[in-house]
Amino acid sequence: MKKLIALAVCVALGGCATDKNLLSIVEMQQWSNRNDTIFYKQIPVAMFTHYEVELYKGERVNELCLQQVNDSLFDITGLIKYVHTVHPKDKVQIVSMYSILKKKYK
């Protein structure tokens, strides 16, 4: 009987495992999107540019491609977590606009 209870507890805890790249409900409240723009605390942080569909090792892979508005204003980790929380089955690609412009005019 004790083994059965221990097994049930292990299965229950294992089933509750969470993805470290997902935002909590509280964290999600700080994010929003409108049209093709993603906002953090009402400040625009990225724009959706395009959607890619690839065939990789015989499997279809969907990829969301975003352009970060200004990487000096916001850490990219939160943006990746937001997009992954909303679209958990898609790959996420983020291009940093600020870094590109910085290199161009150096």
Side-chain angles (χ1 to χ4, degrees), residues 7-46:
L7 178 63
V9 169
C10 288
V11 170
L13 291 176
C16 296
T18 58
D19 187 337
K20 66 180 178 178
N21 292 313
L22 298 177
L23 295 177
S24 69
I25 294 171
V26 173
E27 292 170 317
M28 279 294 289
Q29 293 173 352
Q30 299 173 0
W31 291 89
S32 63
N33 62 63
R34 188 170 46 252
N35 298 326
D36 63 349
T37 306
I38 296 174
F39 298 87
Y40 177 72
K41 295 183 179 179
Q42 306 302 322
I43 298 171
V45 294

Side-chain angles (χ1 to χ4, degrees), residues 85-98:
T85 301
V86 176
H87 302 279
K89 295 184 185 221
D90 293 342
K91 285 176 55 179
V92 179
Q93 175 183 338
I94 299 174
V95 176
S96 176
M97 191 165 118
Y98 179 75

Side-chain angles (χ1 to χ4, degrees), residues 1-11:
M1 183 68 173
K2 289 181 182 181
K3 288 183 181 180
L4 184 60
I5 293 173
L7 178 63
V9 169
C10 288
V11 170

